[in-house]
Amino acid sequence: MNPGGDPASVADPAHDALLAARLFSLAPLSFGAIVLRGVTPARDALVSAIGDALPCRRLPGHVDDERLLGGIDIAASLAAGKPIATTGILAEAAGGVLIVPMAERLDESVAGRLAQALDDCQVALVLLDDSREVEDAPPASLRERAAFQCDLTGSREWGDVAIVAAGDLSMVAGLEDNALKALAGTASALGVASLRPLLFAGEAARAHAVLNQRDVAERGDLEAAAKLVLAPLATQLPPAEPEPPEDQPPPPPDPSDTPSDSEDKDRDQTLEDLMVEAVTASIPADLLAQLVKGNAPKRGGAGSGQKRKSGLRGKPLGARPGMPRGGARLALIDTLRAAVPWQSVRRRESGSDAPIIVRKDDLRVRRFEEKAARVTIFAVDASGSAAAARLAEAKGAVELMLAQAYVTRSEVALIAFRGNTAEMLLPPTRSLTRARRALAELPGGGGTPLAMGLNAAREAADAVAARGRTPSLVVLTDGRANIDADGQPSRKQAGEDAEAAAKAIARAGLDALVVDISARPGREGPELAAAMAARYLALPRADAKALHKAISAVDAAKVTA
């Protein structure tokens, strides 16, 4: 809290987060989960206050099914000579709250187990989102089951925060039809299609009434619930209603409506309008800007490579049956856990009194998941009179992408094609100094050997993939080839060779983007993109920043898809 101790005097996001935490603490199992984003002292204070008000348990990192759901106690079983079961974390935290640190890194399988526990009202969750970018987030299966999603990024330091979990939702009557219609209308206006947020909003309105010692939810309770539950999920701005002309008479009343029916409709519409207006004003500024542009926030980070299973390094996954060979490591504890339940049977069968009998079927090996580094390969058309402008754009975009290399684990490479050659000017690198030195003087002018450039880009992508990385192609061209694959001037043959090279990229299944940088985009660019099975982007007057943003947006769309 602020020094004065008045929660209403803090910044709106912090005040909303504190109010959401108080509502959550009244009925955690009814609200399912609360997401707290941002590594700040304010969030730490809020989590501490929730821990003081409710029985909480912290979920350890890299938890597996045995620890989460329960299994066999290896040490106790070996000492007793019989299987001894252990209690899982979900059973230990039953009826309480489970705090999940670094929820954005949570494995999908563990998220599925937690989602099932939420559906069964077994536990409630406090999801701590430490991501720096809005695009990164906890798994969708948990977010859609969270009643409250609060962003505390940039909030100032609080003092002591007190949350008193006193009260019961049964003290407040259920919402009336007009209140339910107003919530549904608000959700529809904001583009919230799921029914879960509506149910959470109804419960939040009742909880807000409990905090204010009311036995019926009023307009202020509904507005607070809509702000806390519906506003963070908005995918569109409410449509603006056109004002009727001044000289237009009001529409005649419907003769089938009685006066009381008309009054109820007006009251319902007024309540909905007031709620929509209040919720729209509470939508965060960055989200509002994205909604104005027609872009809902995407989930999933851009710039990262594909996930792949590994036996040596990466994020630990659950063990699997297998032999410890070919670099795979033996998972000793999991092997013993698989063998212990069968010891009494095996001793009778073999007549042996060995402490433990392990068979081939018991062996388990470790599994890891690692993300391959992404390498973005620029293939730039350096031919013709506009070559200088194109190369300047590519150079600026490469430098901007390299500036993010250490964050997104990405590398860049540059291929320029002109005349009768396609040359690798910059091999895959993260070094900004090396890139600037290689890009200082780029040749330009001559014919357009598009087929050569595409073939060179595909070969570079194959080499990148062979080293265990994820290649991505960005081709900057106008698509008007006039030099064939043999380096001879022939517009017809050059077009056929370019189409064949593009189809080879499509068959290889490479992620690709065609950026049409001609002054007046024609049919050649879209046709090239179609042959490559690539995305098409027309940027006739793009600068380096526009090109960088476009490539980042396409990468985000790939990950989301």
Side-chain angles (χ1 to χ4, degrees), residues 258-290:
T258 63
S260 59
D261 292 339
S262 300
E263 293 175 1
D264 290 340
K265 288 182 179 180
D266 292 342
R267 184 171 62 252
D268 294 347
Q269 189 64 30
T270 301
L271 179 59
E272 179 182 331
D273 292 342
L274 291 173
M275 290 177 58
V276 169
E277 183 178 354
V279 174
T280 303
S282 68
I283 294 178
D286 55 347
L287 177 61
L288 189 63
Q290 294 183 52

Side-chain angles (χ1 to χ4, degrees), residues 20-31 54 163-169 206-211:
R22 287 174 173 169
L23 299 182
F24 174 79
S25 299
L26 285 176
L29 296 182
S30 297
F31 291 117
L54 300 170
I163 295 178
V164 180
D168 188 352
L169 295 189
R206 297 175 62 203
H208 193 268
V210 171
L211 286 182

Side-chain angles (χ1 to χ4, degrees), residues 391-417:
L391 293 175
E393 294 163 7
K395 175 182 176 181
V398 168
E399 292 189 2
L400 287 172
M401 294 191 71
L402 278 172
Q404 296 181 342
Y406 291 99
V407 177
T408 61
R409 295 174 54 86
S410 62
E411 298 179 1
V412 295
L414 179 64
I415 295 173
F417 54 94

Side-chain angles (χ1 to χ4, degrees), residues 171-195:
M171 300 166 55
V172 179
L175 299 184
E176 298 180 354
D177 289 345
N178 65 327
L180 294 174
K181 291 179 181 178
L183 284 175
T186 304
S188 177
L190 297 176
V192 180
S194 175
L195 289 178

Side-chain angles (χ1 to χ4, degrees), residues 461-480:
D462 291 341
V464 166
R467 293 195 296 269
R469 302 174 183 177
T470 303
S472 180
L473 302 184
V474 179
V475 181
L476 285 76
T477 182
D478 56 12
R480 300 181 178 96

